[in-house]
Amino acid sequence: MPGLRYDAHYDWSEAEPNARFATLMLYLNEPELGGSTAFPTTVHTMEEPLALHPGAGGAVLFYNHLPDGNADVNSLHAALPVVRGEKWLANFWVWDPVRGQVA
């Protein structure tokens, strides 16, 4: 719906014992205008933050943790406002099986 957005956030949390270590976002349609996903701490070109929408049927995969298990601050992302049309998205989170184990 026009104007809807999701402010910048992480898919990881120190409070979650089995953290999401990867996020796959599947784009089910393409709004007429707006609705990109932005990564405000990731510089793309000319010092501009990365903002993308791969189109209907496309997907974006990113990791929320570094190989050493620490959280990746560059996984900060936001849904930019839809200006015209609608945006439908399906999220798939991959959980860390090691961090999810109880000792």
Side-chain angles (χ1 to χ4, degrees), residues 21-56:
F21 77 87
T23 298
L24 176 68
M25 298 188 304
L26 178 61
Y27 294 75
L28 304 177
N29 75 329
E30 189 162 355
E32 293 176 50
L33 185 61
S36 293
T37 301
F39 293 83
T41 60
T42 303
V43 175
H44 178 54
T45 59
M46 304 288 291
E47 301 298 319
E48 292 292 322
L50 179 63
L52 49 92
H53 191 298

Side-chain angles (χ1 to χ4, degrees), residues 11-92:
D11 284 349
W12 51 265
S13 167
E14 296 298 326
E16 292 183 31
N18 54 344
R20 303 171 190 163
F21 77 87
T23 298
L24 176 68
M25 298 188 304
L26 178 61
Y27 294 75
L28 304 177
N29 75 329
E30 189 162 355
E32 293 176 50
L33 185 61
S36 293
T37 301
F39 293 83
T41 60
T42 303
V43 175
H44 178 54
T45 59
M46 304 288 291
E47 301 298 319
E48 292 292 322
L50 179 63
L52 49 92
H53 191 298
V60 172
L61 170 69
F62 59 92
Y63 293 92
N64 299 298
H65 291 87
L66 301 169
D68 65 5
N70 286 308
D72 186 351
V73 296
N74 288 319
S75 67
L76 182 71
H77 59 288
L80 298 180
V82 173
V83 177
R84 189 169 50 243
E86 294 183 350
K87 175 182 174 182
W88 288 86
L89 192 80
N91 285 334
F92 297 92

